[in-house]
């Protein structure tokens, strides 16, 4: 269940609010205002095709991104995942107007996931266009659990990733 409430700094009254979700757990981990003054919401969902979800769950949990306009009305959304757990923890709009998504995955090649899991969990980064369509993805990890917690686009157009790893050299 994603719940948004925005207030102004000078007055403590709610400008608008919206509750977005399905019939199961929907976890919001990242929210940013976009260049068009709307919002991009990112997290992961266990919900099936119901409520505000327009795409069914693929695996245990899936990346779920939702783009809203300035008033919080849904413009588009995308559920991205494989057959196991995929959990988005960080995202941002990129300089080309698309989005970089990061989190961790336990899925092997299936549905949206094009690379096998290398250990328990691996970093899973996905680049989308401005409408949330996957452009490319990369699985990064070792022989154990690797959890991405943060990412940032760098001034040279690349990306820096941060998280934790239980993996040995592998």
């Amino acid at each position: 269940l994603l719940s948004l409430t925005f207030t102004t700094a000078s007055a403590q009254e709610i400008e608008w609010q919206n509750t977005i979700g399905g019939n199961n757990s929907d976890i919001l981990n990242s929210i940013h205002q976009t260049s068009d003054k709307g919002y991009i919401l990112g997290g992961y969902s266990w919900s099936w095709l119901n409520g505000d979800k327009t795409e069914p769950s693929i695996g245990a949990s899936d990346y779920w991104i939702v783009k809203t306009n300035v008033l919080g009305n849904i413009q588009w959304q995308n559920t991205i995942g494989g057959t196991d757990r995929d959990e988005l923890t960080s995202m941002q709009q990129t300089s080309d107007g698309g989005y970089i998504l990061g989190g961790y995955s336990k899925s092997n090649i299936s549905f949206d996931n094009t690379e096998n899991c290398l250990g328990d969990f691996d970093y899973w980064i996905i680049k989308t266009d401005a409408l949330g369509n996957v452009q490319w993805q990369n699985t990064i990890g070792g022989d154990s659990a690797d959890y991405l917690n943060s990412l940032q686009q760098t001034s040279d157009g690349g990306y820096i990733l941060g998280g934790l790893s239980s993996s040995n050299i592998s």
Side-chain angles (χ1 to χ4, degrees):
L1 181 64
L2 307 173
S3 184
L4 308 173
T5 302
F6 291 87
T7 59
T8 61
S10 59
Q12 296 300 315
E13 54 186 75
I14 296 172
E15 288 184 28
W16 60 265
Q17 59 183 301
N18 191 2
T19 301
I20 301 171
N23 70 340
N24 210 328
S25 295
D26 303 305
I27 310 300
L28 176 67
N29 284 328
S30 185
I31 184 170
H32 296 281
Q33 191 164 35
T34 54
S35 57
D36 66 356
K37 305 299 184 209
Y39 297 90
I40 187 73
L41 318 173
Y44 56 97
S45 175
W46 295 79
S47 293
W48 192 246
L49 184 61
N50 52 55
D52 295 304
K53 291 277 309 248
T54 59
E55 297 176 306
S57 180
I58 298 166
S61 58
D62 303 302
Y63 284 22
W64 188 31
I65 56 174
V66 178
K67 172 68 175 75
T68 72
N69 65 14
V70 68
L71 298 175
N73 299 312
I74 296 173
Q75 294 179 305
W76 56 260
Q77 60 183 280
N78 195 359
T79 299
I80 304 168
T83 56
D84 211 321
R85 287 178 56 192
D86 307 302
E87 300 185 1
L88 185 145
T89 55
S90 184
M91 68 177 298
Q92 69 170 218
Q93 190 168 31
T94 54
S95 59
D96 65 358
Y99 302 94
I100 188 73
L101 318 175
Y104 43 91
S105 174
K106 197 172 185 171
S107 294
N108 286 315
I109 295 172
S110 53
F111 296 96
D112 298 312
N113 197 320
T114 60
E115 296 181 80
N116 280 326
C117 186
L118 305 169
D120 184 19
F121 281 95
D122 294 316
Y123 286 18
W124 192 28
I125 56 171
I126 298 171
K127 172 66 175 75
T128 73
D129 64 16
L131 296 175
N133 301 305
V134 175
Q135 294 180 310
W136 57 261
Q137 61 183 278
N138 195 3
T139 298
I140 303 168
D143 61 1
S144 195
D146 307 297
Y147 300 99
L148 183 139
N149 293 321
S150 180
L151 55 75
Q152 183 76 37
Q153 187 170 26
T154 57
S155 59
D156 65 0
Y159 303 94
I160 188 165
L161 313 173
L164 63 95
S165 175
S166 302
S167 296
N168 291 311
I169 296 173
S170 54

